[in-house]
Amino acid sequence: MSGILYLCATPIGNLEDMTFRAVRILKEVDLIAAEDTRNSLRLLNHFEIRTPMTSYHEYNKIDKGHKLVARLAAGENVALITDAGTPGISDPGEELVKMCYEAGVTVTSVPGAAACISALTISGLSTRRFAFEAFLPADKKERQAVLGELREETRTMVVYEAPHHLLRTLEELRDTLGEDRRVAVCRELTKKHETRFAATFAEAVSYYRERAPRGECVLVIEGKSRREILQEEQDKWGRMSILEHMEYYLEQGIERKEAMKQVAKDRGIGKREVYRELLEAEEAVE
């Protein structure tokens, strides 16, 4: 029988967030695959875990992944840990999970800390629906494409950022989403100096221009409101005359009566007003 791959969450700052189960699993498995073995060694020493360790990171995830799957297929149990938080969330762990499933190896999660969830829950913004974006792409074209998608996102958004890039990212998001959009900048999560700075993008940019941030940051961003969407639609129709608005629907094969009804709905006016405007336009042409 093949072994099991355990995705073990580790603390994102506070060592007391390590679960009893995670400590036990890390002691019992045959091998621990760690993103940074030097960083993880401090954690393992703290909990007196002596299990052998190997590196598994972005730059060796394919070659090392095959080796790990081979050991799992041979019956060994392996635990995967990241530098902080839950493996598979914005790290190469997702690749190893896919390889395990393709090889018929069982994968299970040992849950614990996750920066995205910690930030979301203390943000003060809606948590019912959210979109996790992780780090924005470094490539300029891809970054612009993602920002364009975020512009239309109605769910609360969660974005990771390094402190030395925070101001630039806040400025880009302000220019894309609007200076009045609300954001919560969460830093040093679970640590002694944990902070949550809630503001509009305009206020956040002004604040961090004067204060250099420290520590990894998680941005929790208010989604586009239904009111904002409705206003944008009405503004779009408002740039058309009623006659042009009618033509827009008539060219799609919609009957005149239904087109008038839709125009009235789009513009938030009565059908009589649409009819009167059309009548006046037709009389002017005659």
Side-chain angles (χ1 to χ4, degrees), residues 142-160:
E142 189 179 355
R143 191 179 184 93
Q144 288 303 312
V146 170
L147 286 170
E149 293 172 2
L150 295 184
R151 183 189 297 115
E152 304 305 318
E153 181 59 70
T154 59
R155 296 170 293 182
T156 300
M157 296 159 273
V158 181
V159 174
Y160 287 167

Side-chain angles (χ1 to χ4, degrees), residues 37 98-99 117 138 259:
T37 54
K98 292 176 186 176
M99 295 171 73
I117 298 300

Side-chain angles (χ1 to χ4, degrees), residues 256-272:
R256 182 179 173 86
K257 187 175 180 181
E258 285 301 313
M260 287 176 60
K261 187 185 297 184
Q262 189 59 49
V263 168
K265 181 180 178 182
D266 290 344
R267 303 175 84 93
I269 59 178
K271 286 185 291 183
R272 287 189 178 185

Side-chain angles (χ1 to χ4, degrees), residues 89-90 115-116 130-135 155-160 218:
I89 301 296
S90 189
C116 56
F130 67 94
F132 176 60
E133 190 57 46
F135 288 93
R155 296 170 293 182
T156 300
M157 296 159 273
V158 181
V159 174
Y160 287 167
V218 182

Side-chain angles (χ1 to χ4, degrees), residues 1-261:
M1 292 180 64
S2 66
I4 298 174
L5 174 67
Y6 294 91
L7 305 176
C8 288
T10 55
I12 59 176
N14 193 320
L15 288 176
E16 293 180 358
D17 292 335
M18 190 74 168
T19 69
F20 291 115
R21 182 183 175 208
V23 172
R24 177 178 62 80
I25 292 296
L26 291 175
K27 287 182 177 181
E28 292 177 353
V29 293
D30 300 291
L31 180 68
I32 296 172
E35 186 175 8
D36 185 330
T37 54
R38 293 167 300 178
N39 181 63
S40 296
L41 185 60
R42 292 193 292 271
L43 176 74
L44 300 187
N45 285 340
H46 180 83
F47 291 102
E48 300 180 350
I49 297 168
R50 308 303 179 201
T51 306
M53 188 165 41
T54 188
S55 65
Y56 176 81
H57 48 70
E58 182 65 30
Y59 303 103
N60 72 354
K61 63 183 180 182
I62 302 301
D63 291 341
K64 181 56 71 72
H66 287 302
K67 293 177 182 178
L68 292 173
V69 169
R71 295 184 67 162
L72 285 157
E76 293 187 44
N77 292 321
V78 176
L80 178 66
I81 59 175
T82 184
D83 281 349
T86 301
I89 301 296
S90 189
D91 74 29
E94 63 177 330
E95 191 67 38
L96 182 57
V97 171
K98 292 176 186 176
M99 295 171 73
C100 283
Y101 282 132
E102 289 171 358
V105 172
T106 299
V107 180
T108 190
S109 174
V110 181
C116 56
I117 298 300
S118 297
L120 180 67
T121 54
I122 69 169
S123 69
L125 297 173
S126 174
T127 62
R128 190 177 69 85
R129 299 170 61 246
F130 67 94
F132 176 60
E133 190 57 46
F135 288 93
L136 295 177
D139 179 80
K140 189 173 181 180
K141 287 186 178 179
E142 189 179 355
R143 191 179 184 93
Q144 288 303 312
V146 170
L147 286 170
E149 293 172 2
L150 295 184
R151 183 189 297 115
E152 304 305 318
E153 181 59 70
T154 59
R155 296 170 293 182
T156 300
M157 296 159 273
V158 181
V159 174
Y160 287 167
E161 192 51 276
H164 55 287
H165 290 148
L166 178 63
L167 180 57
R168 185 193 72 169
T169 297
L170 286 172
E171 289 173 337
E172 287 180 313
L173 289 166
R174 175 203 60 192
D175 295 342
T176 302
L177 306 179
E179 61 180 18
D180 294 329
R181 186 74 69 87
R182 292 189 297 163
V183 59
V185 181
C186 302
R187 298 174 44 256
E188 299 287 82
L189 289 166
T190 76
K191 299 178 184 178
K192 182 178 180 180
H193 299 293
E194 174 181 287
T195 62
R196 164 194 168 271
F197 177 66
T200 63
F201 273 114
E203 293 167 341
V205 167
S206 177
Y207 182 85
Y208 285 109
R209 278 178 179 164
E210 302 296 326
R211 301 166 181 82
R214 295 181 181 179
E216 296 300 309
C217 305
V218 182
L219 311 181
V220 184
I221 305 162
E222 179 181 40
K224 190 173 188 178
S225 68
R226 302 295 180 187
R227 182 187 301 174
E228 190 177 353
I229 294 172
L230 180 60
Q231 185 61 54
E232 285 183 0
E233 289 179 351
Q234 290 183 345
D235 289 345
K236 178 182 73 173
W237 301 126
R239 289 190 289 272
M240 292 183 180
S241 68
I242 286 183
L243 193 59
E244 291 170 330
H245 200 157
M246 277 291 293
E247 287 298 322
Y248 172 81
Y249 286 117
L250 292 174
E251 287 173 358
Q252 297 178 46
I254 297 174
E255 293 184 0
R256 182 179 173 86
K257 187 175 180 181
E258 285 301 313
M260 287 176 60
K261 187 185 297 184

Side-chain angles (χ1 to χ4, degrees), residues 270-282:
K271 286 185 291 183
R272 287 189 178 185
E273 187 174 344
V274 174
Y275 178 75
R276 185 174 64 252
E277 288 277 350
L278 291 174
L279 192 59
E280 290 175 359
E282 290 169 357

